[in-house]
Amino acid sequence: VAALRASGSEVKEELTAKITESQAALTAKLTDSEKALTAKITDSEKALTAKITAEVAALRASAGEVKEELTAKLTDSEKALTAEVAALRASGSEVKEALTSKIAESQAATTAKLTDS
């Protein structure tokens, strides 16, 4: 009985030691896994932040290009309208001169007819 008790105590101590070692190994693996996962999350966050920053920069550049293009088109339109207004003014002056000349001719003809009559 004493021998069995001693043997049982040795087995108990041996099993307790193995359980403690296993728990320590599992805790170490868990800690390593946690560190690896934290590193992956950090790397992913950095990559995502870089990607978002690049996309925002690209959008800003694109918006700048669109603004420049629209400004150029607006400038071209303003120049074209200014030219059209100048042409209309010149045309209006020519029409005014022609009408003034015709009115003067008509008045002269009317005056001549009246004088003849």
Side-chain angles (χ1 to χ4, degrees), residues 39-91:
K40 282 183 180 179
I41 290 170
T42 301
D43 290 346
S44 295
E45 287 174 342
K46 287 179 182 176
L48 187 57
T49 300
K51 184 176 181 181
I52 290 170
T53 301
E55 287 180 13
V56 167
L59 287 172
R60 284 185 176 150
S62 177
E65 291 171 6
V66 169
K67 182 181 175 185
E68 288 176 15
E69 186 178 327
L70 290 176
T71 300
K73 284 183 180 179
L74 182 61
T75 301
D76 292 345
S77 295
E78 287 175 340
K79 287 178 183 176
L81 286 173
T82 300
E84 282 185 44
V85 168
L88 286 172
R89 283 184 179 152
S91 175

Side-chain angles (χ1 to χ4, degrees), residues 106-117:
S106 178
Q107 285 177 340
T110 303
T111 302
K113 281 185 184 177
L114 288 175
T115 304
D116 289 344
S117 300

